[in-house]
Amino acid sequence: MSPKFATDFANALVAQASTSRLLYAMTRDRQLPKFLAKVTEKHSVPVNATFLVAAISLILGLFLTVLPDGLGAIAALVNFGAPTAFLLLNVSVVWWFIVKQKSRRWFVHLIFPVLGFVVLAFVLYNARVSAQIHGVAWLIIGIVVAVVLYKTGRMTNPVPVSAPSETR
C-alpha cells in the first residue's frame, strides 16, 4: 500500500464523518428529512446519514473512475469549493463584526479578512475553468435550496437574537 493511498483513505474517512455530522445537524434544524437524524445509542453516531454519505461516495467514486478525467474533475471541484466557502467566511466576518457589531478592531475584523478575500479570489480566478463552472453551478443550487427552505419556513436563524458581543 502506498503512502498516498493511506493519506487519501484517512482523508476520505474524515470527510465521511464530518459530512454525516453536517447532515445530522441540518436534519436537527429541520432542513433535511428526519430519517437522517437517527443516531446509535452506544456512540451517538448519525448512522443513517453516515450510510447515505457512504453510498453517495461509493456511487460517485465508481462513476468518476470510468470518466476520462473524472477524479481530476472532482478534485478540482473540491479545490474550488473550499476556497469559496472560506471566501464567504471572510465576507461574513466583515459583515458581522464591522457592519453589525460596529467593531473597531480593524486588523482582526477588516484588514485580515479583506486580505484573505483577495488571496482566495486570486486562487479562484486561476482555478480550472471546469471547476469554476461546476463550482458556480453548485453555488446557485445552494442558493436556490436556501431560498426554498426560507420560503417554506424551514430555514432557521443560526445566530441567537442575543448573540454575545465580540470577545478580546
Side-chain angles (χ1 to χ4, degrees):
M1 178 183 340
S2 72
K4 172 106 171 82
F5 177 78
T7 57
D8 289 347
F9 187 76
N11 287 333
L13 285 176
V14 170
Q16 294 260 138
S18 61
T19 302
S20 65
R21 291 284 179 182
L22 179 63
L23 292 178
Y24 170 74
M26 290 176 71
T27 301
R28 193 183 53 213
D29 292 342
R30 300 179 338 139
Q31 296 176 351
L32 293 174
K34 288 183 181 182
F35 84 95
L36 294 173
K38 181 181 178 188
V39 295
T40 60
E41 288 184 30
K42 186 174 181 180
H43 298 291
S44 298
V45 173
V47 65
N48 289 348
T50 301
F51 282 130
L52 178 66
V53 171
I56 291 171
S57 297
L58 179 65
I59 292 167
L60 192 58
L62 292 173
F63 173 72
L64 289 172
T65 58
V66 299
L67 295 179
D69 189 30
L71 294 177
I74 196 72
L77 186 57
V78 168
N79 290 335
F80 185 86
T84 301
F86 287 116
L87 186 121
L88 295 174
L89 175 67
N90 284 315
V91 171
S92 299
V93 167
V94 172
W95 175 259
W96 178 255
F97 286 106
I98 298 297
V99 176
K100 297 292 259 178
Q101 299 292 313
K102 308 292 187 217
S103 172
R104 297 297 171 238
R105 296 182 65 195
W106 301 112
F107 279 100
V108 175
H109 297 144
L110 181 66
I111 294 173
F112 290 147
V114 168
L115 288 173
F117 182 94
V118 169
V119 169
L120 290 167
F122 179 77
V123 169
L124 292 173
Y125 178 78
N126 290 301
R128 289 173 47 176
V129 173
S130 64
Q132 291 174 340
I133 292 169
H134 288 101
V136 169
W138 274 110
L139 182 61
I140 291 169
I141 290 168
I143 291 169
V144 168
V145 168
V147 168
V148 168
L149 290 172
Y150 180 76
K151 293 290 186 185
T152 59
R154 293 171 54 191
M155 176 73 79
T156 58
N157 183 5
V159 179
V161 175
S162 61
S165 61
E166 66 181 86
T167 58
R168 293 203 182 257

